[in-house]
Amino acid sequence: MTQQTAGRRVVTNIALSLDGHYAAPRDPRDMSWVMPYAHTDVARDHLTSLWEPATTALLGRVNAEGFLGFWPTVIGAEGADPRDEGFAKWLVDADKVVLSATLGEAPWERTTIVDKPTAEVVEGLKAAEGGDILVLSSASVIKALLAADLVDRLAMTIFPVFLGGGPRLFDDGLPAGRWTLAGQAAGEHGTLALVYDRIR
């Protein structure tokens, strides 16, 4: 039986290749392998279901620069999908916490820069009022939260491509635990969206 998590949920979302990698082997910042699949209905609906109950976005510095450099430009763009525009508006308006040891001040509105261990930051966020805490594709943050067993909802989009190498999300030595399937959807091009809730 699934036990409800008290307080705010920590929800993580990431794209994975069919062979289990979140980035290509030669250039971890190259996300071109994601693009053919990211614009599908299943991927858009999946992301919408995650951001709607969330009030805080948690990102690493690299992802913050990528997300906050691109998504605000979608607002009002000609031909933009309403789901993309909805996410972009949410991202701009949401409270954002960026984990970084190098950024001195935030170049984005409603953003706090924090140089502390990931688990400590999330424990503080969970103790505060608000909706879900959504970790957007920041693998280093997600890996730290998995290692600390602080992920309440694990969301993934699986794209039907082999990268043939590169970093993996699930390292050996993670805390043992059980998860229950909370959502699943298959879409165009073989894209698969999966959502698992931690059983505690």
Side-chain angles (χ1 to χ4, degrees):
M1 179 145 176
T2 306
Q3 186 178 355
Q4 288 294 98
T5 304
R8 309 179 74 183
R9 293 183 304 185
V10 176
V11 179
T12 64
N13 184 50
I14 198 162
L16 295 176
S17 65
L18 194 55
D19 58 346
H21 303 282
Y22 62 81
R26 285 171 298 283
D27 182 3
R29 294 191 189 202
D30 177 14
M31 297 302 289
S32 60
W33 62 276
V34 167
M35 298 320 294
Y37 311 104
H39 298 128
T40 59
D41 284 334
V42 70
R44 284 177 163 131
D45 291 343
H46 171 76
L47 183 57
T48 299
S49 73
L50 299 176
W51 66 255
E52 283 184 335
T55 56
T56 301
L58 178 62
L59 303 121
R61 179 188 59 80
V62 172
N63 269 44
E65 290 173 345
F67 271 73
L68 296 167
F70 168 73
W71 281 103
T73 67
V74 172
I75 300 170
E78 186 177 344
D81 186 284
R83 292 164 295 186
D84 292 343
E85 200 165 7
F87 172 69
K89 288 176 180 175
W90 173 83
L91 186 61
V92 168
D93 293 339
D95 292 327
K96 292 167 283 292
V97 177
V98 176
L99 298 166
S100 175
T102 56
L103 277 179
E105 59 183 49
W108 315 287
E109 292 181 5
R110 301 183 64 94
T111 304
T112 304
I113 307 295
V114 183
D115 181 12
K116 291 181 181 175
T118 302
E120 182 182 328
V121 172
V122 167
E123 293 282 15
L125 290 172
K126 282 177 71 76
E129 293 292 317
D132 287 349
I133 301 157
L134 179 57
V135 185
L136 291 163
S137 303
S138 295
S140 62
V141 177
I142 296 172
K143 287 162 81 84
L145 293 174
L146 286 169
D149 198 14
L150 285 173
V151 176
D152 301 307
R153 170 161 281 189
L154 179 65
M156 301 172 284
T157 42
I158 313 296
F159 297 139
V161 58
F162 276 20
L163 292 178
R168 292 185 178 276
L169 182 64
F170 303 111
D171 295 326
D172 288 344
L174 290 174
R178 293 176 56 234
W179 299 77
T180 184
L181 185 64
Q184 60 181 322
E188 309 96 310
H189 315 302
T191 301
L192 188 63
L194 299 170
V195 179
Y196 288 94
D197 284 342
R198 180 75 166 91
I199 299 174
R200 300 194 186 277

